[in-house]
Amino acid sequence: MVSIGCDPCTVVTRSLWARCAAATAVALSATASAANLGQIGPVFEITEQHAIQYMIERLGKMEKSGELARLERETQDRARKAVAEPTPVAGLSETFKTRTYYYDPTVTVPENIVDGTGRVLVPAGFRKNPLEVFSLSKHLLFFDARDERQVGYARRLIDHYKGRVTPILVGGSYLDLMKRWDLRVYYDQRGTLSNRFGIKQVPALVTQEGPLLRIDELRVQG
């Protein structure tokens, strides 16, 4: 360190003293921080129960009281009910006024489909109607099994078409109906098909007519 107009020895000496003072201050600060400042107010033992231990004890009490077994039964009952009778499809009503319309199942590829090398297999914008590849072998019949009138009407339609009908529920228990009819019954989970086809009323019969699907929303007869 060099200072203009001062004795070099004096400057070095002062620099050393400054460094020593700084080091001493840091040491004293650390000592003060670690010092025992004494007790301020009363001291109590930590008695809070561990969360996991609390849960274990709580479950033990529930098991002894039978509450745990009851909750398990309720959970199993809800699961069985959800499987046997799924949530009804929202937004549908019984047909009040008959309606017939057509649905075009043609799909459009939104972006290029490529292979591992980047070669385009199917270009974006490509359109294809799946009914050009395969045909709908059976009618699709959507109805609500909670309505016995619809159930009876659906049975008559199935017989009329000599079994060439796929029954699809939008409400009610498909398991109960399969037992009654000894016939495979499906359920429109979350309304996937009825929403895609634009169905608003049931019973509704879906039939292929060439490259299109014809949808008839039918009033219950009889």
Side-chain angles (χ1 to χ4, degrees):
M1 180 177 180
V2 178
S3 176
I4 303 302
C6 296
D7 180 8
C9 293
T10 303
V11 172
V12 171
T13 303
R14 288 177 179 176
S15 177
L16 290 175
W17 273 109
R19 292 181 183 180
C20 290
T24 304
V26 171
L28 290 175
S29 175
T31 304
S33 298
N36 183 354
L37 301 180
Q39 178 179 320
I40 302 176
V43 178
F44 299 96
E45 182 182 359
I46 299 176
T47 59
E48 182 180 354
Q49 190 175 23
H50 195 283
I52 296 179
Q53 182 62 32
Y54 172 79
M55 291 173 62
I56 294 174
E57 292 182 3
R58 174 61 177 159
L59 287 173
K61 293 178 181 178
M62 292 173 66
E63 185 175 14
K64 289 180 180 179
S65 67
E67 183 180 0
L68 185 60
R70 177 182 62 79
L71 291 175
E72 289 176 349
R73 288 194 302 269
E74 291 178 355
T75 300
Q76 292 170 358
D77 290 342
R78 285 195 297 269
R80 280 192 291 266
K81 185 177 180 180
V83 172
E85 190 172 342
T87 303
V89 178
L92 298 179
S93 63
E94 181 182 353
T95 301
F96 175 73
K97 183 178 181 180
T98 59
R99 179 171 72 121
T100 298
Y101 61 97
Y102 289 86
Y103 172 79
D104 183 354
T106 299
V107 295
T108 302
V109 178
E111 57 186 21
N112 289 338
I113 298 177
V114 300
D115 62 13
T117 64
R119 182 170 62 94
V120 176
L121 301 176
V122 182
F126 178 80
R127 292 169 58 84
K128 187 65 178 179
N129 187 330
L131 294 179
E132 297 174 356
V133 181
F134 64 89
S135 298
L136 193 64
S137 60
K138 294 183 177 182
H139 302 277
L140 305 180
L141 179 59
F142 295 80
F143 63 100
D144 192 336
R146 296 173 298 176
D147 183 349
E148 278 298 325
R149 294 171 61 250
Q150 291 191 43
V151 172
Y153 185 51
R155 180 74 257 188
R156 292 193 296 273
L157 283 175
I158 293 172
D159 294 339
H160 173 75
Y161 288 107
K162 303 183 185 306
R164 292 187 298 106
V165 175
T166 299
I168 303 174
L169 298 188
V170 297
S173 174
Y174 68 96
L175 290 179
D176 290 346
L177 201 56
M178 281 198 297
K179 293 177 183 178
R180 287 172 56 182
W181 286 359
D182 191 24
L183 182 70
R184 187 179 294 276
V185 177
Y186 297 87
Y187 200 94
D188 187 15
Q189 292 281 2
R190 295 182 293 277
T192 301
L193 291 177
S194 54
N195 288 331
R196 179 178 300 172
F197 295 153
I199 295 173
K200 301 298 182 184
Q201 303 176 109
V202 289
L205 188 69
V206 180
T207 307
Q208 180 179 351
E209 285 192 5
L212 301 176
L213 294 177
R214 169 175 169 161
I215 294 99
D216 292 289
E217 294 178 344
L218 307 168
R219 291 192 65 178
V220 175
Q221 303 294 328

